[in-house]
């Protein structure tokens, strides 16, 4: 049967192989397992064409492979390679499909552009040094060749060693990172290149998804094709986040080291590079120890790459750890905040990088900050004074120094500009100047005695009365009763009008208590309103911005405070200055007296010692100082002539070092200069003015004198009908009482006429 002829033949062991060559069974047949020819099958042996003998079967059949180890390691390896190739092909097709799918969800590559870096405002001091940077990044962008060479070296050593050799994605780096992470059992290294990180920061959200990763790779390829390696590295270093609200190396360098990225050393560069792993957690402002440990890792990586030597590593590690405050620190940042507050009003919305030139003197700023800090450390606790502020302006109103509080890092609220408090007796110069405008003089005599204004009875600080005193002595000793009398003579509205004219911008309550400075003002406006006394009577509008330019140098704004209007007659300025010099030399401001320099000013203390001020000037600077507490609690008997005057003295002494002393306007025999230099005031002019003839050169128009007031404006006792019970002003005739209780009567003498009293 056919079926049986195909079965393996049965071999008889007694069968002799030599009986018939055609039925020999050799080793190859046994190995191959193939059947041999038999008589019963009718098969014929296959003979060689050359010899006629049966041909040997090849060992290349299936049995041959098994015999050579086909079921062992070699076969497994071949199968593994085969299936890896198959899997690779399918995987590549899958990855290609994902790339095509996620790529199709992205905008067309022809529309891809690098987003504009958020605009930065670079603020410069008067000498051109950088005061601060403001904007979303916190620092300007600087060219790669301008920054310290240690910075790019450190970043590449720790973040992307093959940056200059890969094409945007680094397969070797990715494989190395995977192996390291697998062997350590945790995430130790990242596989993203700097180009990928830049693509993520520029275009993508921080979420970890497959789609975002694919898009990141595609964008990295695009960046590598469009930009050079140096351009990519520069973009990365100027935009990457370094923690503590600092974006870019310049912002981070200023934030942590208070210096430009151009000037950082090796150790500082290593610290910056180390922050990139975890900017917020490793920030030296948060964890200095962790930041320093990470910096040492960066130094080790740089040494491995041959970028630095062992000696350089030792030097860098021996440097003291970076001590960064938890916030931007330095009084100059109060000034920077003021610039940013004013900038929109000067140039509109900030849409491009700007450079702002200011009037601030960093040397004076440092001296002012140190003065207040030292004074608070020395006397703040025992005096229960927790805060202080200072502002210093020149003759034009340009702000030269501004300190808004004890420590900007602790509190960014600007107490010199934004806080409004009662100035107390520091407001009195405006009262006296208004009196000078209606003819009073420093030698005019008034009676220091109890005075009643409606239901208000002002008292002197020491609750003592001195009888008849000159206005000069009254101001020097800050007599409240005399200031109240002058307000009655001039009228509160006229005092408020003069104060506004000189520079007070806050609303003033035109009532009798304005004599004692009960209306709230800021230290900046109060100080700048004193500047017309210093400069001879011209408006000194406070300003800090000198010029605003684009990064390319195009001027967008330039101030025009170089031609201010006149707000006080020079003769009145001279009279006021003589009186305020007396305040410093023999009055309440003696603690402010300067060696070698003539100084003038006025102290101020509010009710219950809540606020204490001293505002004064030389021929060079006008400076105001305030001490107090943010919550308005009382200090321990701190007056304007105490801590504020002492701080004023210390600061102004240092501010005038190296300068040649010069007298204050109108106090050293200097003839006041009028608008027309050909006009000279004579005694006849003074007498004529006293009798109602207005001199032709007096500026500005003064309020009408008492004798010229309309009947409805004249206080009672001078022909008027104002009722004191209704809050009217009790005239000077009611000031003080004789033993009989009859009011004293003032007499007009020739001296009064000559002196305007």
């Amino acid at each position: 049967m056919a079926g049986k002829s195909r079965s393996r033949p049965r071999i008889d062991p007694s069968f002799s192989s030599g009986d018939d060559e055609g039925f020999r069974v050799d080793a190859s047949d046994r190995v191959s397992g193939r059947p041999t020819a038999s008589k019963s099958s009718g098969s014929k042996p296959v003979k060689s064409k050359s010899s006629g003998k049966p041909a040997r079967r090849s060992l290349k059949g299936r049995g041959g492979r098994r015999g050579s180890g086909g079921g062992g390691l070699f076969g497994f390896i071949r199968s593994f390679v085969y299936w890896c190739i198959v899997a690779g092909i399918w995987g590549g097709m899958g990855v290609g499909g994902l790339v095509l799918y996620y790529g199709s969800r992205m905008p067309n590559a022809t529309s891809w552009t690098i987003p504009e870096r958020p605009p930065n405002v670079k603020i410069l001091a008067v000498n051109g040094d950088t005061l601060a940077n403001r904007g979303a990044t916190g620092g300007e962008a600087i060219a790669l060749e301008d920054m310290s060479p240690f910075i790019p070296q450190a970043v590449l050593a720790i973040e992307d060693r093959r940056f200059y050799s890969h094409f945007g994605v680094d397969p070797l780096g990715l494989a190395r990172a995977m192996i390291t992470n697998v062997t350590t059992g945790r995430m130790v290294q990242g596989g993203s290149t700097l180009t990928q990180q830049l693509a993520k920061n520029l275009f993508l959200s921080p979420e970890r998804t497959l789609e975002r990763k694919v898009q990141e790779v595609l964008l990295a390829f695009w960046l590598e094709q469009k930009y050079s390696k140096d351009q990519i590295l520069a973009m990365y270093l100027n935009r990457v986040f370094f923690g503590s609200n600092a974006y870019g190396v310049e912002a981070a360098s200023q934030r942590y080291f208070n210096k430009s990225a151009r000037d950082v050393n090796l150790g500082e560069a290593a610290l910056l590079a180390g922050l990139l792993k975890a900017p917020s957690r490793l920030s030296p402002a948060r964890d200095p120890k962790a930041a320093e440990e990470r910096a040492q890792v960066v130094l080790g990586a740089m040494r491995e790459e041959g970028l630095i030597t062992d000696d350089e590593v030792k030097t860098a590690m021996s440097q003291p750890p970076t001590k960064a405050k938890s916030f931007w620190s330095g009084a100059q940042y109060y000034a920077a905040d003021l610039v940013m507050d004013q900038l929109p009003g000067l140039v509109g919305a900030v849409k491009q990088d700007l450079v702002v030139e200011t009037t601030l003197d960093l040397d004076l700023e440092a001296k002012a900050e140190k003065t207040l800090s030292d004074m608070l450390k020395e006397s703040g606790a025992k005096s229960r004074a927790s805060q202080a502020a200072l502002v210093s302006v020149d003759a034009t109103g340009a702000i030269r120094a501004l300190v808004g509080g004890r420590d900007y890092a602790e509190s960014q609220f600007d107490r010199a500009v934004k806080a409004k408090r009662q100035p107390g007796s520091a407001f009195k110069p405006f009262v006296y100047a208004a009196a000078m405008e209606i003819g009073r003089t420093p030698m005019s005599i008034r009676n220091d005695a109890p005075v009643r204004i409606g239901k208000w009875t002002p008292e002197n600080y020491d609750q003592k009365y001195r009888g008849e005193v000159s206005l000069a002595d009254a101001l020097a000793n800050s007599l409240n009763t005399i200031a109240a009398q002058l307000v009655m003579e001039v009228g509160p509205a006229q005092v408020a009008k003069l104060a506004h004219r000189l520079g007070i911008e806050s609303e003033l309550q035109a009532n009798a208590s304005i004599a004692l400075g009960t209306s709230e003002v800021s230290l900046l406006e109060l100080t700048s309103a004193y500047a017309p006394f210093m400069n001879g009577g011209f408006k000194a509008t406070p300003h800090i911005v000198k010029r605003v330019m684009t990064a390319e140098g195009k001027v967008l704004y330039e101030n025009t405070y170089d031609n201010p209007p006149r707000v006080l007659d020079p003769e009145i300025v001279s009279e006021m200055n003589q009186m305020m010099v007396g305040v410093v030399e023999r009055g309440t401001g003696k603690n402010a007296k300067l060696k070698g320099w003539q100084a003038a000013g006025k102290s101020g203390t509010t009710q219950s010692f809540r606020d204490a001020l001293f505002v004064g000037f030389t021929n060079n600077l006008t400076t105001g100082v305030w001490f107090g507490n943010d919550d308005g609690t009382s200090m321990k008997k701190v007056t304007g002539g105490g801590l504020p005057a002492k701080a004023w003295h210390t600061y102004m002494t240092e501010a005038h070092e190296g300068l040649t002393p010069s007298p204050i306007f109108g106090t050293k025999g200097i003839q006041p200069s009028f608008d027309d230099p050909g006009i000279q005031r004579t005694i006849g002019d003074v007498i004529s003015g006293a009798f109602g003839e207005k001199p032709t050169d007096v500026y500005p128009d003064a309020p009408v004198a008492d004798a010229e007031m309309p009947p409805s404006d004249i206080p009672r006792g001078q022909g008027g009908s104002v009722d004191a019970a209704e809050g009217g002003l009790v005239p000077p005739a009611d000031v003080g009482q004789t033993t009989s209780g009859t009011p004293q009567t003032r007499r007009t003498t020739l001296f009064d006429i000559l002196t305007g009293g």
Side-chain angles (χ1 to χ4, degrees):
M1 296 177 63
K4 294 182 178 179
S5 65
R6 293 181 180 271
S7 62
R8 185 179 183 88
R10 183 176 180 183
I11 301 174
D12 188 351
S14 63
F15 189 77
S16 174
S17 60
D19 294 343
D20 194 332
E21 294 182 0
F23 293 92
R24 181 182 300 170
V25 180
D26 59 19
S28 65
D29 291 327
R30 290 196 298 272
V31 171
S32 65
R34 292 182 182 273
T36 59
S38 65
K39 292 180 181 182
S40 61
S41 65
S43 300
K44 295 182 179 181
V46 180
K47 296 182 180 181
S48 171
K49 291 182 181 180
S50 59
S51 63
K53 294 181 180 182
R56 287 182 176 271
R57 296 185 182 273
S58 173
L59 295 178
K60 294 182 181 179
R62 287 179 297 173
R65 285 196 296 271
R66 285 196 299 270
S68 61
L73 179 63
F74 182 72
F76 171 77
I77 293 175
R78 292 187 58 152
S79 298
F80 177 77
V81 171
Y82 170 77
W83 287 112
C84 282
I85 293 174
V86 173
I89 294 174
W90 282 105
M93 294 174 62
V95 171
L98 286 174
V99 170
L100 289 175
Y101 173 71
Y102 289 129
S104 66
R105 294 164 59 92
M106 299 174 66
N108 193 296
T110 58
S111 65
W112 295 355
T113 57
I114 298 294
E116 291 291 334
R117 189 173 186 268
N120 178 73
V121 179
K122 185 177 183 179
I123 305 173
L124 305 179
V126 70
N127 65 349
D129 289 345
T130 299
L131 180 68
N133 283 280
R134 286 288 187 267
T137 59
E140 64 177 316
I142 60 177
L144 188 64
E145 59 269 19
D146 290 338
M147 64 182 67
S148 168
F150 293 125
I151 294 177
Q153 290 175 359
V155 170
L156 293 181
I158 197 65
E159 291 291 320
D160 193 353
R161 299 184 182 186
R162 291 169 44 81
F163 173 75
Y164 281 100
S165 61
H166 64 63
F167 48 87
V169 177
D170 184 9
L172 294 179
L174 181 60
R176 182 179 63 249
M178 292 176 62
I179 294 172
T180 302
N181 294 336
V182 169
T183 55
T184 58
R186 58 191 179 91
M187 285 294 295
V188 177
Q189 293 184 6
S192 295
T193 64
L194 289 189
T195 312
Q196 288 177 262
Q197 294 180 42
L198 177 62
K200 178 179 65 176
N201 293 337
L202 289 177
F203 303 104
L204 304 173
S205 65
E207 61 181 347
R208 295 174 178 269
T209 64
L210 179 60
E211 179 179 7
R212 189 199 62 76
K213 196 66 179 178
V214 170
Q215 293 175 345
E216 175 187 300
V217 170
L218 293 176
L219 289 167
F221 289 156
W222 176 78
L223 286 171
E224 291 280 347
Q225 291 296 318
K226 191 171 181 64
Y227 299 96
S228 69
K229 287 288 188 178
D230 285 349
Q231 288 176 317
I232 293 172
L233 183 57
M235 281 191 286
Y236 177 83
L237 292 175
N238 279 304
R239 294 174 185 248
V240 69
F241 181 53
F242 284 94
S244 297
N245 202 35
Y247 291 83
V249 290
E250 179 67 11
S253 180
Q254 294 286 355
R255 171 67 180 85
Y256 300 127
F257 316 127
N258 198 28
K259 64 168 67 173
S260 172
R262 300 171 176 86
D263 305 319
V264 301
N265 57 37
L266 173 59
E268 292 165 342
L271 187 145
L272 291 178
L275 296 179
L276 298 176
K277 180 181 180 181
S280 298
R281 179 172 59 84
L282 295 176
S283 167
R286 177 180 179 178
D287 193 341
K289 183 179 179 181
E292 198 65 29
E293 290 175 351
R294 178 63 178 170
Q296 293 181 11
V297 174
V298 175
L299 290 172
M302 295 178 72
R303 180 174 53 188
E304 290 177 8
E305 289 296 300
L307 299 173
I308 56 177
T309 64
D310 290 341
D311 290 340
E312 288 176 313
V313 172
K314 292 178 182 178
T315 301
M317 289 185 173
S318 64
Q319 294 170 351
T322 298
K323 295 181 179 180
K325 292 193 175 182
S326 59
F327 201 84
W328 298 90
S329 180
Q332 70 271 20
Y333 295 121
Y334 289 113
D337 290 346
L338 178 60
V339 169
M340 294 306 296
D341 289 342
Q342 296 181 354
L343 200 55
L346 301 178
V347 299
V350 179
K351 298 181 179 180
Q352 58 181 320
D353 285 358
L354 298 178
V355 178
V356 181
E357 296 178 356
T358 71
T359 62
L360 201 78
D361 186 319
L362 283 177
D363 182 54
L364 294 181
E365 182 77 356
K367 291 175 179 177
E369 182 179 20
K370 184 178 185 302
T371 295
L372 296 188
S373 178
D374 291 347
M375 192 68 68
L376 286 170
K377 287 179 181 178
E378 179 184 347
S379 305
K382 63 183 179 183
S383 300
R384 294 202 293 266
S386 62
Q387 283 291 350
L390 181 150
V391 62
S392 192
V393 302
D394 66 11
T396 69
I399 298 174
R400 298 302 186 189
L402 176 69
V403 181
R406 182 173 193 157
D407 188 347
Y408 185 84
E410 294 179 358
S411 171
Q412 294 79 56
F413 179 70
D414 191 341
R415 295 154 188 83
V417 177
K418 296 181 179 180
K420 291 190 175 183
R421 298 175 181 272
Q422 293 180 350
S425 294
F427 191 83
K428 286 178 181 176
F430 307 119
V431 177
Y432 279 74
M436 299 298 110
E437 285 193 335
I438 64 169
R440 308 300 182 259
T441 74
M443 297 307 297
S444 296
I445 303 299
R446 293 294 180 269
N447 187 24
D448 176 26
V451 61
R452 176 173 53 85
I453 302 177
K455 297 181 180 180
W456 179 47
T457 305
E459 295 180 339
N460 295 325
Y461 170 74
D462 57 5
Q463 296 182 331
K464 297 179 181 179
Y465 301 97
R466 295 159 180 78
E468 290 189 346
V469 294
S470 67
L471 295 188
D473 286 339
L475 183 62
N477 293 287
S478 197
L479 301 181
N480 293 337
T481 61
I482 305 302
Q485 293 176 50
L486 293 179
V487 166
M488 292 189 299
E489 297 175 26
V490 176
Q494 294 298 340
V495 173
K497 183 178 179 181
L498 179 138
H500 285 309
R501 192 200 317 154
L502 267 61
I504 298 294
E505 296 181 353
S506 299
E507 181 182 357
L508 298 174
Q509 299 297 321
N511 53 37
S513 65
I514 196 174
L516 306 185
T518 54
S519 293
E520 294 181 341
V521 299
S522 72
L523 182 64
L524 176 61
E525 60 184 320
L526 180 66
T527 303
S528 62
Y530 268 64
F533 298 122
M534 175 186 71
N535 66 28
F538 293 95
K539 180 71 175 291
T541 303
H543 61 280
I544 192 169
V545 177
K546 182 179 179 182
R547 186 181 296 110
V548 181
M549 302 176 294
T550 65
E552 293 74 29
K554 180 182 177 182
V555 177
L556 303 179
Y557 166 84
E558 192 163 8
N559 74 44
T560 55
Y561 297 116
D562 54 350
N563 189 27
R566 180 176 287 282
V567 291
L568 275 180
D569 188 301
E571 187 174 0
I572 293 174
V573 173
S574 178
E575 292 172 338
M576 287 300 305
N577 288 351
Q578 291 180 46
M579 288 194 289
M580 284 192 280
V581 167
V583 173
V584 174
E585 292 185 347
R586 64 180 189 279
T588 58
K590 286 184 288 187
N591 282 326
K593 192 172 183 179
L594 301 177
K595 183 178 181 180
W597 281 84
Q598 192 178 39
K602 185 69 186 73
S603 59
T605 309
T606 62
Q607 189 176 16
S608 302
F609 304 101
R610 290 190 178 93
D611 303 283
L613 306 93
F614 186 86
V615 184
F617 53 91
T618 63
N619 196 45
N620 182 49
L621 287 174
T622 299
T623 299
V625 180
W626 166 85
F627 277 76
N629 297 298
D630 287 338
D631 58 4
T633 55
S634 299
M635 294 178 287
K636 189 175 181 180
K637 294 186 178 181
V638 176
T639 65
L643 288 182
K646 292 177 181 178
W648 189 94
H649 164 84
T650 300
Y651 164 73
M652 292 291 273
T653 298
E654 295 187 9
H656 287 76
E657 284 184 1
L659 301 179
T660 302
S662 56
I664 291 175
F665 178 89
T667 60
K668 292 294 184 180
I670 301 175
Q671 180 67 34
S673 59
F674 295 86
D675 292 340
D676 183 352
I679 298 176
Q680 297 292 330
R681 296 296 299 274
T682 65
I683 189 66
D685 294 328
V686 176
I687 295 176
S688 297
F691 283 99
E693 296 179 17
K694 180 180 176 182
T696 58
D697 58 347
V698 174
Y699 181 90
D701 292 337
V704 294
D706 295 345
E708 298 172 353
M709 287 184 180
S712 61
D713 293 335
I714 301 175
R716 193 182 69 184
Q718 295 182 358
S721 59
V722 179
D723 190 354
E726 297 177 359
L729 307 181
V730 179
D734 288 346
V735 176
Q737 300 291 331
T738 62
T739 54
S740 61
T742 304
Q744 297 177 350
T745 303
R746 290 186 62 229
R747 292 184 300 171
T748 302
T749 65
L750 179 59
F751 179 78
D752 290 328
I753 295 175
L754 293 176
T755 61

